[in-house]
Amino acid sequence: MKTANKGTVYVVDDDEAVRDSLQWLLEGNDYRVRCFDSAESFLTRFDPREIACLIVDVRMPGMNGLELQDELLRRGCTMPLVFITGHGDVPMAVDTMKKGAIDFIEKPFNEVVLRDLVDRMLQKARLTADQQQAEASRGALLGRLTARESQVLERIVAGRLNKQIADDLNISIKTVEAHRANIMEKLNVSTVADLLKIALGAPK
């Protein structure tokens, strides 16, 4: 039975035999696999919001694997990827990994090595998705604050005392206290420590 939460493995290779081999190998290890015969077809059909990783051939007709990596970077896509090739090239490998590739492997594939790579890539994809979700939630919480509450929060984070905040903003200490209470309620926190974690984007 396939494990739905493992994520998706995209395979992009113009060689049908390689695609079939990778699909068989990966599905045999309970991964969900989607294969494409070109970078162009992959770009029109992949879901950038999906928890997924990419195995892509370096040398293909049309857009090659390196150009696909550049295009994904241009789009701000953080999907982990690994290159496969029958023509190992160390300078090329170094360049792709500087741009964020997880690894660079040669055909024929070592099943254990490939499976470990896919596990590592999907783990990274899940971590990135969790971080993006946390950041979106944080942004939504902070978006509840009024402009004045945001000014008060900024000063709380800077370590200013209520009296100092009142002087900074030319308001009464009681008004500062009221704003602090509203901020705590809107951000759903009960301690200043938790308030700072949200304001600074630190893990709770």
Side-chain angles (χ1 to χ4, degrees):
M1 181 178 175
K2 288 189 173 64
T3 308
N5 64 3
K6 269 195 169 185
T8 298
V9 183
Y10 289 110
V11 175
V12 182
D13 197 307
D14 61 306
D15 187 329
E16 185 177 3
V18 171
R19 293 196 306 274
D20 288 347
S21 173
L22 281 169
Q23 185 161 11
W24 178 83
L25 190 158
L26 293 166
E27 286 185 345
N29 284 282
D30 295 333
Y31 295 106
R32 183 167 55 246
V33 183
R34 294 184 63 194
C35 294
F36 298 88
D37 61 4
S38 70
E40 292 85 351
S41 62
F42 165 75
L43 285 171
T44 61
R45 293 163 61 191
F46 87 105
D47 183 353
R49 299 162 301 178
E50 197 168 18
I51 293 178
C53 65
L54 174 62
I55 299 175
V56 58
D57 193 13
V58 168
R59 302 174 190 273
M60 296 182 290
M63 179 184 286
N64 65 34
L66 305 182
E67 291 166 340
L68 174 56
Q69 182 187 29
D70 287 339
E71 176 60 21
L72 290 172
L73 289 173
R74 189 187 69 77
R75 295 186 184 192
C77 178
T78 56
M79 183 185 302
L81 62 90
V82 61
F83 283 103
I84 53 176
T85 182
H87 315 277
D89 183 327
V90 172
M92 188 189 299
V94 170
D95 187 50
T96 61
M97 293 181 77
K98 279 181 180 175
K99 292 179 182 177
I102 299 292
D103 214 327
F104 190 103
I105 55 175
E106 290 186 85
K107 306 169 188 174
F109 315 114
N110 178 302
E111 180 175 347
V112 174
V113 170
L114 185 62
R115 189 176 65 234
D116 287 348
L117 274 174
V118 168
D119 277 341
R120 187 148 48 98
M121 287 195 290
L122 288 175
Q123 185 176 9
K124 181 178 180 183
R126 277 189 293 274
L127 179 61
T128 299
D130 289 345
Q131 290 170 338
Q132 290 172 341
Q133 179 59 47
E135 187 59 29
S137 298
R138 173 178 171 269
L141 282 173
L142 293 174
R144 297 176 181 176
L145 303 182
T146 64
R148 178 63 90 191
E149 287 165 354
S150 294
Q151 291 174 334
V152 172
L153 177 59
E154 184 181 320
R155 285 159 176 79
I156 293 171
V157 171
R160 305 285 282 170
L161 302 174
N162 283 358
K163 184 179 185 310
Q164 294 171 316
I165 295 173
D167 291 342
D168 290 345
L169 301 177
N170 196 27
I171 56 179
S172 71
I173 292 177
K174 282 194 171 183
T175 302
V176 173
E177 290 171 348
H179 283 317
R180 284 183 77 124
N182 287 340
I183 291 167
M184 302 284 274
E185 183 178 352
K186 288 182 178 180
L187 300 187
N188 194 29
V189 293
S190 56
T191 68
V192 173
D194 284 340
L195 178 68
L196 292 177
K197 285 176 183 176
I198 291 178
L200 299 171
K204 290 186 77 175

